[in-house]
Amino acid sequence: MRRWREKVRTSTPLHVVDLAEMASMFALLGSLIYLISFFGIAYVQSVVSSHDDDDEFLLPAAAPPSVEVEKPVTLSGDDEEIVGSVVSGKIPSYALESKLGDCRRAVGIRREAVRRITGRNIEGLPLDGFDYDSILGQCCEMPVGYVQLPVGIAGPLVLDGREFYVPMATTEGCLVASTNRGCKAIGESGGAMSVVLRDGMTRAPAVRFGTATRAAELKFFLEHPDNFDTLSVVFNRSSRFARLQGIQCSLAGRNLYMRFSCRTGDAMGMNMVSKGVQNVLDYLQNDFPDMYVISISGNYCSDKKPAAVNWIEGRGKSVVCEAIIKEQVVKKVLKTTVPALVELNMIKNLAGSAVAGSLGGFNAHASNIVSAVFIATGQDPAQNVESSHCITMMEAVNDGKDLHVSVTMPSIEVGTVGGGTQLASQSACLELLGVKGANLESPGANSRLLATVIAGAVLAGELSLMSALAAGQLVKSHMKYNRSSKDMSKSACGLSI
């Protein structure tokens, strides 16, 4: 400032500065910046944050991150220590139930260990509300929760003079509605009829000999009628329900495949038949000591795989179900005509499947219904593969006025005892059908009845979908009902093909 007064006194222009004056100006500016930042930073931050808060109300909510971290659960000191041991690998996860003696506690600890190891959010997977003791040692290992599925009811299905309300667990929109429409068409036409053609679960071990000749000797021995009674006695020791029906053999070089078939009461029967087969193999070792057992299952059974042997010979329950749908019902309920259905079935289900090289898939969507009923009633969902083998037939009868429709399903693999059938929800669905548990008066009657109900539901589903396709309703129904929450009671839904 003194320099500026001197410049004014001497009439020197103020904008003319020397090097010393420039340095003084920069020092002053730096001091001002430092003071502002020191005393005003809190104020600036508060202003900025307040604007950010306002923006949260003005702008759309930000998308959640792709991976959410689940909130840590509060654990007791002992549980916290166990979780740490599981995470570090000191305690195997599978050993928690036996170590703790408390299934619910074991599930909670395992769940927390998984959260810490993966860093993933599984809050949406329910934990409470399930009886984990009921699955210990039989249904699921190392559980961390359970999955919820909606269950719908199709019916009444009028079958063999009785009415059934069919439980279907599914997440596919229109499936229950479509099957329900088929049930209505069947009911208004007098109902459907069914026949169980055969009932026998199979298991086929694979054995090897030094030569094909020696393998053939065992084949002839097993298939000789004089040896059947002895083999039956040995086989049937496995269970009071096991009853050996027959043995079918096939050779591949020096490898022999033996397909044992037996009745298994109301159980699906895989374990039962496997025990019986093991008994026979042990017995055969006495007369055929050079027999080397490759596997208790050699895929000639054939389980959970599409196979011609199941399609031709059958496995589990072989069922045919039929109905005659009246002309007026076809028009009123199914919204199509008899000639249109017959032609579509020939071109799609028969010729189309043949062109595709289908194996047991001469139908529109049998697996949709089979899977839904299987899950609802505690069956093995993987056995849907062969259980959905089905050929759908449609013919015009009564001078071309009415429609004869049938489904033939050679390998429906179901049980009403054991496995998932004993779980509370699945047991309730079996109770709804009147087939819960074992039939003490006639062993196997409940499982056979369940198989016929499944075939009847498939018949209803085939009728409805084929009608939707014949009438050109499939896409329209799905776009209108499968993508909204509207009431579907007036829907003429079909299903995905």
Side-chain angles (χ1 to χ4, degrees), residues 34 109 123 139 170 213 263 346 365 371 387:
Y34 174 80
I109 289 174
E123 276 188 324
C139 290
T170 181
T213 302
R263 285 203 172 190
M346 177 65 69
H365 71 146
S371 295
S387 296

Side-chain angles (χ1 to χ4, degrees), residues 50-62:
S50 65
H51 281 294
D52 288 344
D53 292 339
D54 293 339
D55 290 344
E56 288 181 5
F57 292 96
L58 297 174
L59 299 176

Side-chain angles (χ1 to χ4, degrees), residues 50 78 96 116-119 135 190 199 233 239 244 264 272 281 314 338 340 356 388-389 401 407 420 433 485 487 489:
S50 65
D78 290 344
L96 287 173
R116 295 185 187 183
I117 293 170
T118 65
I135 65 173
D199 179 7
V233 172
S239 168
L244 182 64
T264 57
M272 192 183 302
L281 291 176
V338 172
S388 295
H389 282 181
K401 294 181 179 180
V407 292
L433 292 172
S485 58
D487 179 22
S489 60

Side-chain angles (χ1 to χ4, degrees), residues 148-294:
Q148 297 168 305
L149 276 176
V151 177
I153 297 294
L157 169 65
V158 181
L159 177 66
D160 298 324
R162 299 173 59 182
E163 289 188 353
F164 298 92
Y165 288 85
V166 185
M168 303 174 68
T170 181
T171 57
E172 179 171 354
C174 279
L175 176 58
V176 179
S178 178
T179 306
N180 192 65
R181 181 174 77 148
C183 289
K184 180 180 180 181
I186 292 172
E188 291 189 7
S189 298
M193 297 170 290
S194 66
V195 179
V196 178
L197 304 175
R198 66 172 70 87
D199 179 7
M201 181 48 64
T202 63
R203 175 60 85 198
V207 300
R208 176 180 294 168
F209 288 88
T211 65
T213 302
R214 185 63 172 154
E217 290 179 12
L218 177 55
K219 170 182 166 63
F220 298 145
F221 175 85
L222 293 171
E223 294 178 343
H224 198 288
D226 293 344
N227 298 322
F228 183 77
D229 288 342
T230 301
L231 294 172
S232 294
V233 172
V234 174
F235 185 97
N236 295 345
R237 290 175 188 163
S238 63
S239 168
R240 59 195 176 101
F241 297 109
R243 294 295 178 266
L244 182 64
Q245 295 175 319
I247 307 173
Q248 182 181 4
C249 297
S250 183
L251 224 66
R254 59 195 183 103
N255 300 318
L256 178 65
Y257 301 84
M258 303 167 284
R259 192 173 191 258
F260 291 76
S261 176
C262 83
R263 285 203 172 190
T264 57
D266 284 305
M268 183 271 289
M270 284 298 303
N271 292 333
M272 192 183 302
V273 68
S274 296
K275 292 176 183 177
V277 167
Q278 188 62 58
N279 288 346
V280 173
L281 291 176
D282 294 341
Y283 171 80
L284 291 174
Q285 289 283 2
N286 297 323
D287 293 325
F288 297 88
D290 54 336
M291 178 183 72
Y292 175 67
V293 179
I294 301 294

Side-chain angles (χ1 to χ4, degrees), residues 104-120:
R104 167 59 181 80
R105 182 184 172 197
V107 173
I109 289 174
R110 181 181 296 113
R111 182 185 179 102
E112 176 62 13
V114 170
R115 184 196 68 79
R116 295 185 187 183
I117 293 170
T118 65
R120 300 284 180 172

